[in-house]
Amino acid sequence: MQDLIQHEPEAEVFWRALDFAVEAHDDQWRRSGDAYILHPCSVAKILVEEMDITNPEMLSAALLHDTVEDVKEVTGEIIGEHFGNYVRAIVEGCTKVTHVSGDRQANNRNTHRKIFTGAALRPEVMLVKLADRLHNLRTLRAMPKAKRQRIADETIDIYAPLATMFGLFNMKREMYNLALLYKYPKQGAKINNHIRQLEQSPIGEYIVEELKKATVRAKLYCRIKIRTKRLWAYYDIVSKILVKQIDTPLEVLIDVEDVAACYTALGVVNQTFKPIPRTIRDFIANPKPTGYQGLHARAIIEGQKFLFKIRTDDMERKAQRGLFRNWTSKVGKQGRFIREIQEMFNVIGTEDAVSYRDVIAASGIKEIYTYTPQGDLICLPVQSTVLDFAFRVHTEIGRTCLGALIRNKRYSPAHILKDGDMVRIIRSDQAIRFDQNMLTLCTTPRARGELARGFRVRRRKVTSDVGLSMLRQEMLRYGIPFDLIEGKDVSELLTRCSSESVEELYTRIGEGRVRLRSVMDVVKDVFWGGTSPLVTPTGAFNKIELTTLDPVTVKLSSCCRPTPWAKDNCALLTPNGLSVHNKNCSKFKELNFQREDAVNITWKTRKTGVRKQQTLRVLRASRKDIMRIVGFAPNEMEVQKLEIMSSYSSLYPAWEIGFRTPNLYMLQKVLKHFDKSNVRYEFELQC
């Protein structure tokens, strides 16, 4: 380490951290029998030797990353006093959640989200965690089989894709190779045997010799070698399986002196081995988001596909070790690559509605290259949608995206883009109310994060009103005037209910995050000396009236399929909105909940709009009957589709009617009209 960091300013902080870590981990041992201090030393060594990170403070954080977690006497405050707030932030970001419950999966999720939140502020947190995970994988044999499997799964799903996203391709390959062998020992061994046979293939030597002759003729100095892809290349990220064969198991690596020589070498390759049409990729003019540069070409030689990679030494180094030499987040302005990394960690660290495993998996797969009408390059994961593109260009463009024009044809926001598409976004004057399924269709963190935030805002507009109505009714039941909530003593109430404002308190009540009874206990203490004028209410639910069917807020349960105009509906309060049941629902009767956890729910049918087209299926009717029924339907029924569903009977076929109504009242009126017509039909409300 002395040789590697001796020229770094403030290198002495590293040696102080080493002394501190040695003392802190004294008498601690790893399961392998090694002194524990060797682990943080190895993590620091990986950062220097394999990631080109020589910043003494980052290396100090690597030495100290386990001290707060594993040494009772060491706290974040102590780290900050000795080594500064920058080192402290990285160390605390790496520290697992200490207040654990009995649910291991919940603990793991909380730990991951804590690490992601730390990495959103300081991406160095994840660099240290990646080095930490790589060393743990290298020493994993000492662990019990169950733990080996868990760490392997976690590596494949989270850490190896993150290494890919950071552009640490050497680390990514080794992580996958080690973890896949633990997860699929028998299948992995077979594929490794197949890889060893490929290494002995004479075709590799033939390609190298032919290229050497061609480069001599072109007076081009370069180094050429064959690289056989290892186990990592045989893992299908989407299907999560190991495949027996891949398209290009062998790569030809060509190292040249400068950028101009890269293009000369590409010409030599294309003249020597005929390239596959439309497969040449120029990552020098258009670098990948990770900063990766190089020229790629593919050719079929003796019936087998080969990938040629042409790079300079500096491009090669960056491809294997990333772009983190001489980098630190302490510098005020960061490049686009770092900002996008921070944005992703911010989304997956804070948004419960967003699956961090899905987002990380999407970031680890191949990219497509799309373009704005001005020719600006937008790099997106495979399977990205028009909405992903819109949010990547600008947040406001995403929020107002109606669709896109691609090759003069209009597509919806859910349309999946192809490599090379030029996309012109069609915008609305106002923000769009996207359906919830868009959250699973989008692949980019920004799109998912913005959609989740938009859904949360829509939900809280309703749940805040629900919480206000419930608290008002409950205080009336206890005989306590609601006007007291607007008085000067409300600050004590908010403090004891862990809320910053009365609106937040209403929202937490409406989402079931805080129990109404516990709020009333505080209300009695603060405003009424611990008692109330009336006895504690029992039995009857509070009542709410809604004017929305937004599925972001209102979930009509599938077990009993309640209709909004029924008079015997109730709703359970949940953080994801109101779960509506019919009171006669058998599953609802089996649920164990308190009176305060549910409300009687009704809708103002004339004020509740119906946004989506509705579908009604008539099971058996003649053409004459269906025309008569539709013809005499209420004028507000706007028929948009009338089709024969099946022709099992030419006289009495089944029919499907697509129609719109302005509100719930008119929808109810339409259904009553069909009830009176005495035809059998099926209908399920589309919200």
Side-chain angles (χ1 to χ4, degrees):
M1 292 299 287
Q2 178 68 44
D3 292 338
L4 291 166
I5 67 171
Q6 61 180 334
H7 300 298
E8 293 291 326
E10 301 178 2
E12 60 88 22
V13 71
F14 173 82
W15 304 112
R16 287 197 290 110
L18 179 59
D19 290 339
F20 187 97
V22 169
E23 187 175 345
H25 291 299
D26 187 35
D27 290 334
Q28 288 185 346
W29 303 87
R30 285 170 68 83
R31 189 181 287 268
S32 61
D34 294 332
Y36 195 92
I37 187 60
L38 292 179
H39 169 64
C41 285
S42 299
V43 171
K45 194 177 177 187
I46 288 171
L47 288 173
V48 176
E49 293 186 339
E50 301 180 41
M51 298 160 71
D52 282 347
I53 293 171
T54 56
N55 181 291
E57 288 184 300
M58 288 175 64
L59 299 177
S60 299
L63 290 173
L64 302 167
H65 78 273
D66 276 337
T67 53
V68 174
E69 183 181 320
D70 292 341
V71 183
K72 186 168 60 175
E73 296 80 12
V74 179
T75 64
E77 289 80 6
I78 291 173
I79 297 293
E81 288 172 11
H82 283 76
F83 305 101
N85 289 330
Y86 175 70
V87 174
R88 175 184 176 179
I90 301 173
V91 172
E92 288 189 329
C94 295
T95 304
K96 293 179 183 176
V97 176
T98 52
H99 301 290
V100 296
S101 64
D103 187 344
R104 173 178 282 181
Q105 287 188 335
N107 292 337
N108 285 340
R109 281 196 302 271
N110 291 336
T111 293
H112 286 142
R113 290 198 185 277
K114 179 181 179 295
I115 292 168
F116 299 150
T117 303
L121 181 64
R122 300 285 187 195
E124 295 94 326
V125 170
M126 190 51 65
L127 294 175
V128 173
K129 286 301 295 182
L130 288 171
D132 173 51
R133 176 50 56 104
L134 181 57
H135 185 251
N136 283 334
L137 284 168
R138 289 172 176 174
T139 58
L140 199 55
R141 285 202 178 278
M143 293 294 175
K145 184 178 180 181
K147 190 165 185 178
R148 292 202 301 263
Q149 284 287 324
R150 181 177 62 79
I151 290 175
D153 284 337
E154 195 176 67
T155 301
I156 293 165
D157 289 348
I158 297 174
Y159 290 101
L162 283 176
T164 308
M165 191 192 71
F166 273 90
L168 302 166
F169 294 112
N170 265 356
M171 178 178 282
K172 157 216 158 177
R173 294 187 188 105
E174 187 175 354
M175 279 186 172
Y176 272 125
N177 291 341
L178 292 170
L180 288 168
L181 265 181
Y182 285 114
K183 184 170 176 65
Y184 307 104
K186 291 183 180 178
Q187 197 177 355
K190 287 181 181 178
I191 293 173
N192 277 338
N193 186 50
H194 168 68
I195 291 169
R196 282 191 290 271
Q197 291 175 359
L198 284 172
E199 287 177 324
Q200 308 303 320
S201 172
I203 193 170
E205 291 183 16
Y206 163 73
I207 292 171
V208 171
E209 288 302 317
E210 289 298 308
L211 283 176
K212 282 182 178 179
K213 292 176 187 176
T215 55
V216 168
R217 287 194 297 270
K219 297 180 181 179
L220 174 70
Y221 172 75
C222 63
R223 294 182 303 279
I224 305 168
K225 63 180 178 180
I226 291 284
R227 181 170 68 189
T228 308
K229 288 183 179 178
R230 299 293 169 181
L231 194 59
W232 62 272
Y234 292 77
Y235 181 63
D236 184 332
I237 293 174
V238 177
S239 303
K240 301 193 179 213
I241 57 170
L242 277 175
V243 295
K244 293 180 180 178
Q245 290 185 329
I246 56 176
D247 271 355
T248 51
L250 298 174
E251 295 177 334
V252 184
L253 305 181
I254 304 173
D255 292 336
V256 296
E257 293 181 323
D258 53 33
V259 171
C262 288
Y263 292 98
T264 303
L266 178 62
V268 171
V269 169
N270 290 344
Q271 288 172 346
T272 308
F273 300 107
K274 197 172 182 180
I276 302 171
R278 295 182 296 278
T279 60
I280 296 172
R281 304 301 293 267
D282 186 344
F283 295 115
I284 296 176
N286 293 309
K288 291 188 178 185
T290 58
Y292 174 88
Q293 289 184 295
L295 299 176
H296 287 194
R298 285 177 166 80
I300 297 176
I301 305 168
E302 295 186 9
Q304 185 175 320
K305 283 185 182 179
F306 287 85
L307 172 62
F308 296 84
K309 291 183 177 180
I310 305 167
R311 298 176 290 206
T312 65
D313 286 340
D314 188 52
M315 292 176 191
E316 168 76 12
R317 184 195 63 76
K318 288 178 180 177
Q320 309 311 329
R321 300 177 173 222
L323 300 172
F324 298 99
R325 175 186 279 180
N326 301 323
W327 170 84
T328 170
S329 67
K330 291 174 76 172
V331 177
K333 190 174 182 181
Q334 298 294 336
R336 181 174 178 179
F337 174 53
I338 296 298
R339 291 200 308 273
E340 288 183 358
I341 285 176
Q342 290 177 303
E343 182 180 76
M344 188 199 78
F345 284 128
N346 187 47
V347 169
I348 63 179
T350 57
E351 291 292 348
D352 291 337
V354 178
S355 165
Y356 61 81
R357 287 180 183 264
D358 288 348
V359 173
I360 290 169
S363 69
I365 61 179
K366 293 181 179 179
E367 311 93 354
I368 59 171
Y369 288 80
T370 57
Y371 301 88
T372 67
Q374 292 74 35
D376 295 329
L377 174 67
I378 304 292
C379 186
L380 297 166
V382 170
Q383 298 293 307
S384 289
T385 64
V386 165
L387 194 58
D388 284 307
F389 180 97
F391 273 114
R392 178 63 65 84
V393 174
H394 195 278
T395 302
E396 280 307 310
I397 292 177
R399 288 174 180 163
T400 56
C401 174
L402 285 169
L405 281 176
I406 304 171
R407 294 178 294 277
N408 295 321
K409 186 175 179 181
R410 182 164 177 165
Y411 292 94
S412 73
H415 174 71
I416 295 174
L417 298 174
K418 295 178 181 176
D419 197 40
D421 279 347
M422 192 191 79
V423 185
R424 185 187 299 275
I425 298 297
I426 303 168
R427 297 181 63 187
S428 166
D429 294 334
Q430 297 178 335
I432 305 297
R433 287 168 60 92
F434 294 106
D435 289 341
Q436 280 181 294
N437 69 323
M438 286 303 302
L439 196 61
T440 55
L441 293 175
C442 288
T443 61
T444 58
R446 181 181 294 181
R448 291 191 182 203
E450 290 297 333
L451 286 171
R453 289 189 194 101
F455 295 152
R456 188 169 63 244
V457 168
R458 279 158 56 181
R459 186 183 305 120
R460 286 184 175 177
K461 283 181 180 177
V462 176
T463 53
S464 178
D465 291 341
V466 169
L468 167 61
S469 177
M470 289 177 63
L471 184 58
R472 186 190 297 274
Q473 292 174 65
E474 197 73 358
M475 289 180 69
L476 184 63
R477 290 175 187 272
Y478 277 82
I480 300 174
F482 186 74
D483 293 348
L484 294 173
I485 293 294
E486 299 171 356
K488 60 183 179 181
D489 292 331
V490 73
S491 58
E492 185 180 348
L493 170 67
L494 295 176
T495 300
R496 291 179 59 178
C497 291
S498 303
S499 300
E500 294 184 0
S501 64
V502 288
E503 288 75 19
E504 184 185 345
L505 177 61
Y506 298 153
T507 299
R508 295 183 69 206
I509 293 171
E511 292 180 349
R513 293 181 187 272
V514 60
R515 301 294 291 271
L516 190 56
R517 176 169 289 186
S518 65
V519 174
M520 288 309 305
D521 289 341
V522 177
V523 168
K524 286 191 294 183
D525 283 349
V526 172
F527 299 118
W528 222 263
T531 61
S532 61
L534 302 178
V535 297
T536 301
T538 57
F541 297 154
N542 291 308
K543 301 176 183 177
I544 60 168
E545 268 192 316
L546 295 184
T547 58
T548 180
L549 288 169
D550 189 350
V552 168
T553 302
V554 179
K555 319 286 183 186
L556 300 176
S557 59
S558 58
C559 52
C560 54
R561 295 183 178 176
T563 53
W565 46 82
K567 294 183 179 179
D568 52 355
N569 290 333
C570 62
L572 294 171
L573 309 175
T574 76
N576 293 322
L578 299 163
S579 177
V580 182
H581 291 261
N582 188 285
K583 285 185 179 177
N584 297 319
C585 172
S586 57
K587 285 193 176 181
F588 176 73
K589 290 179 179 179
E590 293 172 2
L591 297 175
N592 184 21
F593 61 91
Q594 301 296 320
R595 179 188 71 85
E596 298 89 349
D597 297 333
V599 289
N600 286 325
I601 186 169
T602 57
W603 275 263
K604 296 178 181 178
T605 55
R606 292 180 186 270
K607 293 184 178 180
T608 305
V610 179
R611 295 179 62 247
K612 286 191 174 182
Q613 175 180 294
Q614 303 298 308
T615 300
L616 185 146
R617 294 179 179 86
V618 176
L619 302 181
R620 188 172 184 271
S622 67
R623 185 181 297 270
K624 182 178 178 182
D625 286 342
I626 202 73
M627 292 303 174
R628 175 180 54 80
I629 294 167
V630 172
F632 284 99
N635 291 335
E636 290 81 2
M637 179 186 180
E638 182 185 330
V639 178
Q640 298 185 316
K641 181 179 72 172
L642 178 60
E643 293 180 351
I644 293 178
M645 285 177 59
S646 61
S647 54
Y648 58 86
S649 168
S650 58
L651 295 177
Y652 297 97
W655 301 83
E656 183 173 276
I657 306 171
F659 66 97
R660 289 183 180 275
T661 60
N663 53 45
L664 263 184
Y665 175 77
M666 292 313 305
L667 177 59
Q668 187 180 4
K669 195 172 177 181
V670 168
L671 295 178
K672 283 181 179 178
H673 169 72
F674 276 85
D675 289 337
K676 291 176 183 177
S677 67
N678 294 321
V679 294
R680 288 177 58 209
Y681 70 88
E682 293 177 346
F683 175 78
E684 186 174 340
L685 180 64
Q686 300 296 312
C687 297

